[in-house]
Amino acid sequence: MTAVAGCGIVAAGFAGTWGAFDDVRDYADRNIADEDSYVAYADGGMEPLLKAGAVVASALLLLGLLVVAVLHAAYAVADARARRGEGNLGTRELWRRTRRRLPAAVATNALTGLVMGAVVLAGLILFACVDGGLVPGVEPTPLHGTASPQYALLGWVLPIAIWCAVPLLHSRLSLATAEAVLEHRSPFVALYRSWVLTRRARRRTVGTGALAGAAAVLVVWLGRYAAEPLSRPVGLGMLWLSDDNVWMTGVLVLILPTAVALLLLPPLVMPLTCASSARLHRELRAEEDEEDTMRAAATA
């Protein structure tokens, strides 16, 4: 379903920009016929394509958010049932139990994404300020020049250090969906509870997140290479469909390997990631309940 929806969004994007790509081709053909030099996508041809690309990218991000929320919520529900020894659920029953808390799962994952996105944005803003000469006492590196120690520290080392906090945040907030779905927490409370739970098992949490991230990177990297042979037949098909529009075909061939690689993540990486998160949440909750019981017994 993710593959069908993703391909549908991309196809709709190409359909919506069909006229814009025709204008780009006509502009290039006129300049070639007049033996004039030209720049691709000039004469206002880039603006409608950028707008369409922004819409397609937003739709794909929303699709990714929905898929991640559904899978995390479903694995949490299935793991909780298995913990109680109630056996496995059929797909229909699992979906029925998952969709009750799906809005909370989507909101929790969106909030998690916003937190990590804010960290990425902070690093980008710092790099842009340093590179733009907006930081007092730090001069931008001249063309073909050597970066000063201040520029290297504030423009390279510090942004990279900030970005390194993103996987750490993701691992510490990875149990929020299970908290929102199983314990009926609000998104903000779920994120706080995930932070509290993972505090007792930092190494295991970070290790699990690192393995999941490494698996995702490996699948995307290998998937891009595996999808390269598809570029030729797909490109030929687009050339036939678009009446030899090389500009549209070039964009499709350019994004095809990455698109195929990303579509491999839900079936290959997400099950491992979601199952690990659900099991880790169950174990940490059991440890917390046991400690609360022992503390209550000692108090009594």
Side-chain angles (χ1 to χ4, degrees), residues 218-296:
L218 182 62
V219 167
V220 171
W221 182 63
L222 294 177
R224 282 180 52 85
Y225 282 102
E228 284 292 342
L230 296 176
S231 299
R232 179 176 175 79
V234 171
L236 291 175
M238 178 57 81
L239 280 175
W240 173 79
L241 188 64
S242 62
D243 193 19
D244 293 334
N245 191 324
V246 295
W247 307 98
M248 182 183 294
T249 302
V251 173
L252 178 60
V253 171
L254 181 65
I255 68 173
L256 179 66
T258 302
V260 173
L262 291 177
L263 289 175
L264 292 175
L265 291 180
L268 296 183
V269 178
M270 287 304 299
L272 174 64
T273 303
C274 296
S276 300
S277 297
R279 181 168 182 173
L280 184 62
H281 175 262
R282 168 166 53 89
E283 293 175 352
L284 295 180
R285 278 302 308 269
E287 293 176 6
E288 185 183 56
D289 293 342
E290 184 179 354
E291 290 181 3
D292 291 342
T293 302
M294 293 176 62
R295 192 179 297 111

Side-chain angles (χ1 to χ4, degrees), residues 49-67:
L49 298 178
L50 289 177
K51 291 180 179 179
V55 173
V56 170
S58 300
L60 291 175
L61 284 175
L62 290 176
L63 175 63
L65 172 64
L66 180 61
V67 170

Side-chain angles (χ1 to χ4, degrees), residues 46-161:
M46 181 61 78
E47 183 178 355
L49 298 178
L50 289 177
K51 291 180 179 179
V55 173
V56 170
S58 300
L60 291 175
L61 284 175
L62 290 176
L63 175 63
L65 172 64
L66 180 61
V67 170
V68 170
V70 168
L71 290 176
H72 271 293
Y75 271 85
V77 170
D79 185 81
R81 181 178 175 86
R83 177 185 58 185
R84 296 191 298 266
E86 298 177 0
N88 295 327
L89 287 172
T91 304
R92 186 184 301 275
E93 180 64 18
L94 179 60
W95 168 245
R96 188 183 67 83
R97 298 192 181 196
T98 300
R99 67 185 180 189
R100 300 173 183 172
R101 296 295 297 167
L102 187 56
V106 172
T108 302
N109 281 275
L111 186 58
T112 303
L114 288 176
V115 171
M116 295 188 295
V119 176
V120 174
L121 183 61
L124 289 175
I125 292 175
L126 176 61
F127 173 79
C129 290
V130 174
D131 194 59
L134 302 179
V135 178
V138 180
E139 294 295 330
T141 304
L143 185 63
H144 305 302
T146 302
S148 64
Q150 296 87 351
Y151 181 89
L153 178 62
L154 295 179
W156 296 341
V157 177
L158 191 54
I160 292 175

